Every structure is written in structure tokens, then in C-alpha cells.
Amino acid sequence: MAGVPVPLPPEITARTGQRRGLRVVEVVPGSPAGLAGLYLGDVIVAAGGRPVQDGQGLQRLMLGPAIGARLPVTVLRRGAFVDVVAVPTELGR
């Protein structure tokens, strides 16, 4: 999956206190993101209960003990919050 930081809409910022999210711009079929049901245009706002504002922040949540474990991900999709579950894997698998 690839993403770019984007500002969140004002009403979402007011509700969450979070200014940015990570817009999904690429999903590799069969990848953990693809299997979780992430789509192009989704904006990831949280993973594992922690705010996500950039790619590095998301990557940090998917290392070490997170490999192979269920990781709840909250995305903003067409103005609504949607929860999906990803299972991170080691790169190259």
C-alpha cells in the first residue's frame, strides 16, 4: 500500500482533534491492505487505536510484534468512518 498525507475535513478535525490522515493511493492485490479491504481514496485516520498522519507513523505500527497480529484500522471513506482489520506481514512475503 502507498499513501500520501492529506488534511482532514474541518468537521472530522473538530470531532477527532486530528488534522491529517493518510490517503491510500495504491493497494497491491493480495497484500495485507488489499485483504483488509482498503481502497484507493480511503483516508487512514487510525491504526491500532493510534492516530495515523503519515506513512512513517503507519509503518511504525506494523513492525515487530504487530507482524501476524490483527491490526484494527479506521478509515474515512466517502465521509463516513469505516473499520477494517489488517494483518501485517514481513516485507517480501
Side-chain angles (χ1 to χ4, degrees):
M1 187 213 90
V4 296
V6 294
L8 293 174
E11 63 274 9
I12 300 299
T13 296
R15 183 173 165 186
T16 65
Q18 187 173 332
R19 291 183 168 178
R20 295 186 323 174
L22 186 67
R23 181 179 307 280
V24 176
V25 295
E26 180 182 9
V27 177
V28 176
S31 69
L35 295 173
L38 289 173
Y39 297 105
L40 296 179
D42 283 351
V43 178
I44 300 172
V45 293
R50 295 184 177 178
V52 171
Q53 298 185 26
D54 56 38
Q56 293 84 3
L58 181 59
Q59 286 176 335
R60 281 191 294 274
L61 295 172
M62 298 188 309
L63 298 173
I67 301 296
R70 295 169 53 89
L71 180 69
V73 179
T74 301
V75 301
L76 186 60
R77 181 180 294 161
R78 297 185 189 137
F81 286 110
V82 176
D83 293 316
V84 300
V85 176
V87 179
T89 59
E90 291 184 38
L91 291 177
R93 285 196 176 180

